[in-house]
Amino acid sequence: MSSKATCLIVASAAPQGVCARSFQQCFSLCSAAFNLQTATPAGKPIDFTGVDESSARWVQDFSIKPYASPAKLESIDGARYQALLIPDCPGALNDLAHSGSLARILTHFTSQKKPVCAVGQGVSALCCATEGQKWIFSGYSLTGPSVFELVRSPDFANLPLIVEDFVKDNGGSYTASQEDAVHVVLDRHLVTGQNVQSTTAAVNNLILLCNGSR
């Protein structure tokens, strides 16, 4: 039996936090398929948002496990990981979207064509990866939160970045479905999911990609 691949789950450390439902689905699906490592900017604890009755117990159990303490994103060596996953993180717009450390890791993953998956607001994290003036995902097809989904947020007017606009302005191809519909785009080694509802479908595609490349 071959040993498990190792997947890096990158989460935001910004006050806007990480969607509990999306992270739970990511972690639960991936723990069976991968060895997992979580990482955040400066190794700060993950602040979960949208915790409801169904996720509260899981979040509580997760928080006392040894792997709940994230590694510092700044010290992560991308070469040690076979897959990269960014769950739905409302906070990603404020830290991961301009993280030089994540850009370095994504550049490595793209050069090696290793599977990358980003979901919902986590897709904004991909915007950090520019080489010179060129976005490394220029020419890729991807999805992310639609303006119709984002506009429902009270913070919409203050969002530092709109994924749809960034993708179109930087040579990517953007698609979206109806609000809250499951919509996943797979292009080469990149998987993106439009929203929280797309988490499971996106992560399953990441697992399939990894199984196919081993």
Side-chain angles (χ1 to χ4, degrees):
M1 183 177 165
S2 62
S3 59
K4 285 182 181 178
T6 304
C7 178
L8 177 67
I9 299 180
V10 176
S12 170
Q16 295 82 0
V18 177
C19 171
R21 178 180 162 197
S22 181
F23 188 93
Q24 178 185 356
Q25 291 174 349
C26 287
F27 202 93
S28 300
L29 283 168
C30 285
S31 58
F34 301 109
N35 295 313
L36 295 177
Q37 170 71 63
T38 56
T40 60
K44 293 178 182 174
I46 297 170
D47 188 11
F48 291 107
T49 62
V51 178
D52 57 18
E53 287 180 15
S54 64
S55 58
R57 178 65 186 271
W58 187 90
V59 167
Q60 189 176 11
D61 290 346
F62 175 81
S63 64
I64 60 172
K65 298 280 173 59
Y67 48 66
S69 298
K72 289 183 180 179
L73 188 61
E74 295 79 3
S75 60
I76 290 289
D77 176 6
R80 293 181 54 205
Y81 303 93
Q82 288 76 51
L84 174 64
L85 174 58
I86 307 166
D88 185 45
C89 304
L93 290 162
N94 295 288
D95 57 5
L96 298 180
H98 46 79
S99 165
S101 299
L102 182 57
R104 172 177 50 79
I105 296 165
L106 285 168
T107 300
H108 165 76
F109 265 74
T110 304
S111 70
Q112 301 295 313
K113 297 182 170 51
K114 293 199 282 193
V116 174
C117 177
V119 179
Q121 303 267 37
V123 177
S124 66
L126 303 178
C127 301
C128 70
T130 53
E131 285 189 308
Q133 297 298 310
K134 185 176 168 62
W135 187 39
I136 65 171
F137 295 108
S138 175
Y140 280 74
S141 297
L142 60 164
T143 186
S146 69
V147 171
F148 297 107
E149 289 168 322
L150 293 173
V151 77
R152 297 180 300 195
S153 163
D155 297 329
F156 178 70
N158 300 316
L159 291 179
L161 181 79
I162 304 290
V163 166
E164 178 177 350
D165 293 343
F166 183 93
V167 171
K168 290 176 176 175
D169 291 345
N170 289 275
S173 175
Y174 174 89
T175 59
S177 185
Q178 298 168 328
E179 301 98 287
D180 304 323
V182 174
H183 181 60
V184 172
V185 175
L186 168 60
D187 186 352
R188 288 162 273 183
H189 61 97
L190 177 66
V191 184
T192 47
Q194 180 175 325
N195 44 36
V196 179
Q197 292 82 354
S198 304
T199 303
T200 299
V203 173
N204 278 324
N205 272 279
L206 176 70
I207 293 169
L208 286 170
L209 270 181
C210 285
N211 289 341
S213 64
R214 297 183 75 205

